[in-house]
Amino acid sequence: MPIINRFADLHEEIAGWRHDFHRHPELRFDVHRTAGIVARKLEEFGCDEVATGIGRTGVVGVIRGRTSGSGKVIGLRADMDALPIAEATSRPYASEADGLMHACGHDGHSAMLLGAAKYLTETRNFDGTAIMVFQPAEEGGAGAKEMIDDGLMERFGIQEIYGLHNIPGIQAGNFAVKSGAMMAATDRLTIEVDGIGGHGAFPHTTVDPVLVGSHIVTGLQSIVSRNVDPREAAVISITIFRAGEADNVIPPSAYLKGTVRALDAATRDTLEARIRAYVTATAEAFGASVRLTYQRDYPVTMNHPDQADLAASVAEKVVGPARLDRDPVPIMGGEDFAWMLEARPGAYIYMGNGDSAGLHHPEYDFSDDAIPYGCSYWVSLVETAMPLD
């Protein structure tokens, strides 16, 4: 089941949809134009049902196969939202929205799933039901959780769920997938240190929050090296440190923010516990007070074994074994598809985007060369998971 010839015929049309999405990027849940186009096309294709407003602005298309004796229902998910980045590509279809662009390829993800939906409504060569899930607000808005909380899985009877993301630096159309962790849990922390300010020439009369904060930043780095198994991956990065306005004044407070990443639940728990203990103890040791806000965001993107095996076998059929990596190194970035994988068994696969700029870079662009591979993967997944007798 190699690249499907029909997508050679549809390539220009699908690329055109992507270019339109790219020209008109929208943020988080404000994807009204994109969602409207998606819904209209799904209706034009002949989906059996099209639902809008799922998880605020999500769209769902239902496609029933020629038969439904298997009773199987699988979901395919694409994200629709863009990023608050000013584009620097000079493409003819470059963003027309100031300060916004599709810097993560969600324009391509949505276009490929639309292409798959068009093909599946034409052929229906499967026994079961395919659910096309177009999700808003992946970029920091937890749109996947919003759709789940709005009854996505139950309303459409989804039994398994699958996702795909492009990856720069891998040959366009190559795939990578495995069982277990694919992407990290992402947590945020805010640390507010309250000391006693004063003249910079008389530090003995103060409780210096800059010094306290500096010890916190330095000490937090020892948590990964001394509390996490060296065979595991974890990250603690303090990315914001603000304090003071004058060079001869010790300020009364300091403000720090950062991100915490882990690839399993136990490590995630360890990091939070040790951060809380260290931050509190360090502030107390210097006579300062501290407020720590620790926010858990996206969980670990954890593929299920059977579904990861299915995804791998389908990708191998599409592109051959030489273009499939069955043991990719997990990425410490986060992905809210993790919540869908907590709600239902499924798998998340990487697809190469070629030698492009990196994700979230102002010169990034999704590769149109990848479109036939992504569309063929989606269709082949449906036809393999729910084969006709």
Side-chain angles (χ1 to χ4, degrees):
M1 194 180 294
I3 295 296
I4 296 169
N5 290 334
R6 177 76 170 116
F7 290 120
D9 300 330
L10 293 173
H11 192 178
E12 185 175 348
E13 182 179 8
I14 297 170
W17 302 338
R18 183 188 82 79
H19 297 171
D20 180 67
F21 293 150
H22 192 96
R23 190 176 287 114
H24 302 284
E26 297 174 297
L27 292 183
R28 292 202 174 185
F29 291 100
D30 294 328
V31 291
H32 302 287
R33 180 184 185 278
T34 305
I37 291 171
V38 166
R40 286 194 299 274
K41 289 194 178 299
L42 293 175
E43 290 170 352
E44 291 168 4
F45 299 160
C47 284
D48 298 285
E49 178 184 351
V50 177
T52 59
I54 310 298
R56 298 198 224 178
T57 47
V59 180
V60 174
V62 178
I63 305 172
R64 298 186 180 93
R66 291 187 187 180
T67 59
S68 57
S70 70
K72 193 164 185 179
V73 182
I74 68 169
L76 313 180
R77 172 268 203 176
D79 33 22
M80 298 186 287
D81 57 321
L83 284 158
I85 297 173
E87 184 163 355
T89 66
S90 300
R91 296 285 197 276
Y93 50 83
S95 171
E96 296 179 1
D98 289 343
L100 306 182
M101 72 170 290
H102 272 289
C104 205
H106 298 184
D107 51 343
H109 300 168
S110 292
M112 289 189 298
L113 190 56
L114 278 176
K118 182 178 179 68
Y119 181 94
L120 290 169
T121 54
E122 290 174 352
T123 60
R124 300 182 186 262
N125 290 325
F126 59 96
D127 177 24
T129 304
I131 309 297
M132 309 289 109
V133 179
F134 293 84
Q135 178 207 306
E138 188 279 324
E139 299 290 358
K145 189 173 187 301
E146 194 82 13
M147 294 189 80
I148 293 167
D149 291 346
D150 202 14
L152 170 69
M153 302 299 179
E154 295 79 12
R155 175 174 171 179
F156 298 99
I158 296 173
Q159 300 162 355
E160 297 178 8
I161 188 77
Y162 294 87
L164 175 154
H165 205 292
N166 78 95
I167 301 293
I170 299 175
Q171 182 180 340
N174 282 17
F175 290 91
V177 66
K178 69 173 183 178
S179 175
M182 291 288 285
M183 299 186 75
T186 63
D187 297 337
R188 306 170 192 264
L189 60 86
T190 302
I191 302 167
E192 299 170 273
V193 180
D194 290 321
I196 298 174
H199 199 294
F202 309 108
H204 60 290
T205 66
T206 72
V207 175
D208 185 352
V210 176
L211 179 64
V212 177
S214 298
H215 276 269
I216 288 173
V217 172
T218 302
L220 287 179
Q221 303 312 306
S222 69
I223 293 175
V224 172
S225 67
R226 289 298 177 267
N227 296 114
V228 176
D229 188 320
R231 295 168 296 183
E232 302 294 334
V235 174
I236 301 174
S237 292
I238 300 300
T239 54
I240 297 173
F241 191 144
R242 295 177 184 148
E245 297 179 1
D247 60 6
N248 64 345
V249 177
I250 292 174
S253 62
Y255 177 84
L256 297 82
K257 293 196 74 171
T259 186
V260 182
R261 308 294 172 106
L263 289 174
D264 66 77
T267 300
R268 191 184 197 187
D269 291 342
T270 296
L271 293 175
E272 180 178 356
R274 294 304 302 142
I275 288 169
R276 289 187 180 280
Y278 183 80
V279 168
T280 300
T282 301
E284 289 178 352
F286 283 93
S289 61
V290 68
R291 293 183 300 280
L292 170 63
T293 303
Y294 196 98
Q295 177 182 332
R296 290 202 170 198
D297 284 345
Y298 298 173
V300 179
T301 304
M302 189 73 69
N303 280 349
H304 297 251
D306 291 345
Q307 287 72 30
D309 286 346
L310 173 64
S313 66
V314 169
E316 185 172 302
K317 290 176 183 176
V318 172
V319 298
R323 300 186 65 181
L324 169 66
D325 181 358
R326 287 180 175 264
D327 191 24
V329 176
I331 294 173
M332 298 308 288
E335 164 62 69
D336 73 347
F337 187 70
W339 271 302
M340 293 195 178
L341 291 174
E342 287 191 341
R344 292 292 186 274
Y348 188 73
I349 195 169
Y350 301 144
M351 183 187 70
N353 195 57
D355 187 23
S356 70
L359 300 175
H360 295 210
H361 190 282
E363 294 181 357
Y364 167 87
D365 189 25
F366 182 87
S367 173
D368 287 339
D369 291 342
I371 287 173
Y373 298 99
C375 292
S376 296
Y377 169 76
W378 282 136
V379 169
S380 301
L381 180 65
V382 170
E383 294 179 353
T384 303
M386 301 183 291
L388 285 168
D389 291 335

